Structures are given as C-alpha cells and as structure tokens.
Amino acid sequence: MPRQAAPRREVVTGEPRRVRPLPRYRAQAEIDEQTALGDAYVRSLMRSQLRAGMSAFAVLALVAGTLPLAFAALSQRAVVWVVLGFAAYPLLTLLGWWYVRRAERNERDFARLVKGRPPP
C-alpha cells in the first residue's frame, strides 16, 4: 500500500477582527443612573459603615462607662492617674485602628462589587 502524503496546510490571512469592549458592569450603571437598585447598593455600603461605627462606639461606651466603677474599686489615686494617663490610650488607638481597617474593607468590597469582581 502506498503511503499518502500529509494534506497541505492552508494559511488564511486577513484583517484582524475588532474586539468589542465589554459593556460596563451593570451595578455601576445602576448607581450612576440613581435607580432603585443603585440606591440599594449605596444604602448597603452606608449600613455597613454605620454598623462599624456603632460597634466602635459601643466598645468605647462600654469601656468609658465601666471606668468610674473601676476607679471606685481602686481607691488609690496613683493607679487612677496611671489608668487615665497611660492605659486608656493603647485601647483607644487599637479601637481607632480597627475602625479604619473595617471602613476601608467595606469600601474595597463595595468597589469590587461595582467593578464586577468577586470578593477574595
């Protein structure tokens, strides 16, 4: 049996096809057009930011509210001044750091939602 030759390859050239840009993600359009769905997206961001702020405020109120009880139990003026002068600031700094991180994460998640990317 004679061996058949491999078929000849044809090369087709032509104008490259234009790639249409992807349409803008709908969430961003909803927000820009101020529709009810866009309003729901923005309210969702506002609720999450309010929740973070209220959580930080609740922790601060709890700590500040219990300080008079702690001072009444301690009855030593030096300890009271140490708590007021030094011990309160690391807690306030930590609370502020947590709040800022939480608020930035909420905004980052919202931006991902608007851009159409899934959360990590």
Side-chain angles (χ1 to χ4, degrees):
M1 253 189 185
R3 241 175 114 184
Q4 291 183 345
R8 187 172 157 209
R9 294 184 111 182
E10 298 291 327
V11 178
V12 179
T13 60
E15 293 288 321
R17 294 197 300 180
R18 292 185 185 179
V19 177
R20 287 185 287 160
L22 293 174
R24 192 166 65 163
Y25 186 66
R26 192 65 191 152
Q28 187 174 358
E30 296 286 342
I31 292 169
D32 291 344
E33 295 169 6
Q34 298 179 351
T35 63
L37 182 58
D39 188 43
Y41 284 134
V42 173
R43 275 194 324 245
S44 168
L45 173 64
M46 291 172 65
R47 270 194 312 269
S48 63
Q49 295 291 49
L50 179 64
R51 192 177 312 119
M54 293 304 287
S55 298
F57 178 73
V59 169
L60 180 64
L62 181 68
V63 170
T66 58
L67 278 179
L69 296 173
F71 294 155
L74 290 174
S75 76
Q76 293 179 350
R77 293 187 114 183
V79 175
V80 169
W81 283 109
V82 167
V83 169
L84 281 176
F86 299 105
Y89 291 105
L91 179 65
L92 292 175
T93 302
L94 183 65
L95 185 62
W97 174 81
W98 174 84
Y99 172 73
V100 168
R101 298 261 312 196
R102 179 68 182 209
E104 287 175 349
R105 189 179 79 185
N106 289 340
E107 290 176 6
R108 212 173 24 252
D109 291 345
F110 181 75
R112 279 193 187 107
L113 173 72
V114 170
K115 290 180 181 175
R117 291 190 223 140

